[in-house]
Amino acid sequence: MSREKYPRFPLFLSLCGREILIVGAGNIAVRRAGILLPFGCSIRMCAPEREDELKEPLRGWILDGKVRYESRRFEKDVLTGREFLVFAATDENETNAEIVQICRGKGILVNNASDASMCDFFFPSVLRDEEIVIGIVGDGSDHRKVKQIRKKIQDMLKGEKRPK
């Protein structure tokens, strides 16, 4: 059965206490970690960069104990079996594909930042407003459109807060 034939089902999960592995430490990986942090998950990141080479805000999150960081290239043994979700967000397409293959073999849901067709789930554009959490995804082909829709919803929510 072809995954591309069917739309993605929006599912809001409790990540509280769940182990999340992000492989990579570039812009996409750091953005994913920043969006995930408020949801109570345990984030572990793995990348070949030394800790002193990392940029903010990642360095601060590591120093504050919000993110655990392993300075090493991805190898099979990075996966401990405790991962609930894995994000393959390296700048190497082959490494990301290898991560997907290994995770699928272990029954771990995986997102490949470099290839939408290799994603078990899409990472949504997340909008939080007090008690509301909104996630917006497309089919992976038009990130700009998703961003525009997010902005429209954000503006609408801001408009509801204006005094009448």
Side-chain angles (χ1 to χ4, degrees), residues 21-70:
L21 172 64
I22 302 173
V23 183
N27 292 334
I28 293 172
V30 172
R31 253 195 332 267
R32 299 280 194 269
I35 292 169
L36 289 166
L37 277 171
F39 292 92
C41 51
S42 175
I43 298 175
R44 184 168 54 100
M45 295 181 78
C46 168
E49 292 83 4
R50 291 188 329 261
E51 208 170 303
D52 63 348
E53 296 175 313
L54 301 173
K55 298 176 189 167
E56 292 298 337
L58 180 54
R59 284 185 74 183
W61 295 335
I62 294 166
L63 290 172
D64 292 343
K66 294 178 180 177
V67 171
R68 293 185 330 272
Y69 184 75
E70 296 176 22

Side-chain angles (χ1 to χ4, degrees), residues 80-150:
T80 64
R82 293 187 304 270
E83 296 84 5
F84 181 66
L85 300 174
V86 172
F87 293 88
T90 74
D91 58 1
E92 299 171 354
N93 293 346
E94 300 81 23
T95 300
N96 289 345
E98 177 187 3
I99 294 166
V100 169
Q101 180 184 13
I102 293 168
C103 286
R104 286 186 174 161
K106 293 178 175 281
I108 302 168
L109 295 174
V110 63
N111 173 282
N112 181 340
S114 62
D115 187 345
S117 71
M118 295 181 79
C119 291
D120 293 330
F121 63 94
F122 285 171
F123 195 88
S125 176
V126 176
L127 184 64
R128 292 183 59 219
D129 183 68
E130 296 173 11
E131 73 280 352
I132 296 172
V133 177
I134 299 170
I136 305 161
V137 297
D139 64 3
S141 66
D142 191 351
H143 299 294
R144 185 171 289 139
K145 183 176 182 180
V146 170
K147 193 173 187 177
Q148 290 169 344
I149 291 170
R150 181 188 190 280

